[in-house]
Amino acid sequence: MGRTHALTFGFAVPGGERTPDGWRVAWSGCAVMGVLNVTPDSFSDGGRHMRLEAAVAQAQTMRDAGVLMIDVGGESTRPGAEPVPVETELDRVLPVIRALAGEGVLLSVDTMKPEVAAAALGEGAHLINDVTGLRDPEMRRVCAEAGAPVCVMHMRGEPRTMQRDPHYDDVVAEVHTFLHERAEVALAAGVPSVLLDPGLGFGKTPAHNLALLRALPDLTGGPHPVLVGVSRKRLIDTLAGVPEARERDPGTLALHLHAARHGAALVRAHAAGAHVQALRVQAALDDPTR
Ligand code: HH2
């Protein structure tokens, strides 16, 4: 069996157990965060789940496949993406959160905006996935007040410009130090628990991404669960020559299985069912009682 990971929430959540500190969701080995983008322009699933029925059906399929949580996003963060106004993001995300709130699966919201986070948490979301790593102090306040955990991700710059010649003296040290510092700040502000994410593809060259993937044991050996997300990203094209994003699931699985073997608690994936299956097989291989 893999290592046990846990997140603490300040409110009752699906699969959560009451503890003196709040509600605890624990799992062993690597679980799946299914991606549900309610956007017209996400790089691999843009426009596919803009209708509410399509989004709900996709979420139910992922839940039934066995994902631990579903990450709902209303703003693309692909390299070069333009920001969307708060109202637009709210209009995309809130109906989906409302529809899924009773579906018995943890709901994360992929947003950089405290207004969107607050409204989504008010409608039944459980966790905030902030690709800016809580840059905005208001985001910390919103999450702490609601009792919601945060996925703290590392990004160099902003999506519009982040892939313009990113530079680090020591990418692994810089990213890991950033994540540990942001985690401390978040916990000190009252956020009940955090996930850490090295932010693969966010202001990083292929060499930076590979260095971070190879250094995962340094990050996963720490006190916080680690999320890894390379699903269908350009890195797979660079490594294996797959220009079409939707054809990158085999390469995604190879990298996510590596992440799982090196201690990742969650992988963020579009092909959620394939990931649940592959991770179960890998976990069985690693289980000496089988
Ligand atoms: N990657 C994307 C979006 N959000 N969040 C975390 N924590 N980690 C990631 O690696 C990550 C993320 C980009 O992928 P996707 O959501 O498919 O595309 P888009 O940003 O175009 O909607």
Side-chain angles (χ1 to χ4, degrees), residues 33 35-39 41-46 71 73-79 81 110 129-131 151-153 197-202 227-233 268 270:
M33 170 192 263
V35 180
L36 183 61
N37 284 317
V38 199
T39 56
D41 58 340
S42 286
F43 77 95
S44 95
D45 60 350
D71 190 36
E75 175 176 48
S76 173
T77 52
R78 73 184 190 291
D110 187 350
N129 174 21
D130 180 4
V131 298
C151 177
V152 177
M153 198 194 81
D197 180 348
L200 300 168
F202 285 85
L227 167 70
V228 170
V230 286
S231 195
R232 301 181 180 170
K233 287 187 180 172
R268 184 180 179 279
H270 299 87

